[in-house]
Amino acid sequence: MNRILIGAQWGDEGKGKIIDLLTAKSDIVVRYQGGNNAGHTVKFDSETCVLHLIPSGILHAGKICVIGGGVVLDPEAFFEEVRALEKRNIRVRGRLFVSDQAHMIFPYHKLLDRLKEESASEKDMIGTTKKGIGPCYADKMARLGIRVADLKYLDYFAQRLESVLKERNETLRKIYNHPGLSFKEIFSKFKKYRKELLEFAIDTPRYLYDATKRGKSVLFEGAQGTLLDVDHGTYPFVTSSNASVGGAITGSGVSPTVIDRVIGVVKAYTTRVGEGPFPSQFPPRLLKHIQTKGEEFGATTGRPRRCGWFDAVIARHSVRINGLDEMAIMKLDILSGLSEIKIATAYRIGGKIRKDYPHSTYEFSHAQPVYETMKGWKEDLSGVKRWKDFPLNAQKYLKRIETILETPIKIISVGSKRAQTVFL
Ligand code: IMO
Ligand code: MG
């Protein structure tokens, strides 16, 4: 069984927890897009582990993890994570493979990301994680990228870095009035990473082809979410990769014919970190309440996340784009105690009711949510183990979401622990 797990909102849906649960049923876990902008939190026993770049499957002994060619890899962040795992006595070597096709994030990518954000006017700010993700993907598309495989031949690497850096330093000087970065420093840093990084590097499409042929079960771990997808998200307030289902194919080099199921993860409400329109955002008091109760602070940057009602318009868009077979709904417990709960089922834009997510950024930024209001429940859900133990109003809320999204909910999460999960 090969499954793709996708964030169906703006990221931070709780993918880490579901990946952790599904890893138990898989042999191989693959990250295929994004980079260390992700923050996948897994809680087990009394431990909390946040992974940014390495697949969360690494926390399960014996599972193989793959960083696919669609990922942008910052060697510095990579080795930091490797060392942190090894410190916890988690064996990484021989179980973790990196695609030699993966583009590497260089210091100038991080610098450009930061400078661009800092110099942007308020309306143009994306609110990125400043990890260099956007500039690295931009270089990949501009054919100015440098891949892991390019480290194999040091002379070639040096040549390539030199010519790319020349161009990047021009940008730094002319646009940002920055003196530019030193070739020598970057080169010697990467020379140090080189040997160790190449020990992790393999031909991952070949590896995954053989593994799936042999009947191994692969879990594709999506990062970010569909609304952050560079093609299908709320452009330009997106990340720079394909966080929706297509990214799993191109970013790992497997054929869509090997995929059996696509699972979407949604939060029982909506959150967004970074800039960009957010039609169903809560009014200030409720925002504060949910932010605090749901601990809605970024796992990567620590920024507070904006929170709002469940937006079924964007979720329906995700269902379609990804062809979701089923959903996992997270953090339902956080909604306990509200007298009423709303679902945004359409938008009012310029006097017209629109049921579909509009591609026009202008329209989306003027969208007023049209709500359906349901009764809330008081009961604490954190100990619920079975469907029939949910309060009736919680059941109705979940059923309504299923109906609107035409997709079954198979997993309900009522807390961050592994045991706080109801399977339907
Ligand atoms: P996980 O995998 C939530 C957001 C940033 C910003 C935009 C672009 O934990 O769900 P980038 O640094 O990627 O160029 O920033 O995307 N963003 C995320 N938001 N969860 C994430 O990952 C995110 N990764 C990027 O906040 O708005
Ligand atoms: Mg996150």
Side-chain angles (χ1 to χ4, degrees), residues 36 72-75 103-106 109-110 131 133 136 190:
N36 58 318
V72 286
L73 184 133
D74 179 348
H103 282 250
M104 290 182 287
I105 297 180
F106 283 82
H109 292 133
K110 290 184 260 192
K131 305 288 183 191
I133 307 294
C136 185
F190 276 70

Side-chain angles (χ1 to χ4, degrees), residues 2 4 209 212-213 220 249 253-261:
N2 300 319
I4 301 178
Y209 177 83
T212 49
K213 275 267 179 230
F220 295 87
I249 306 303
V254 302
S255 161
T257 55
V258 308
I259 305 303
D260 299 295
R261 277 189 99 64

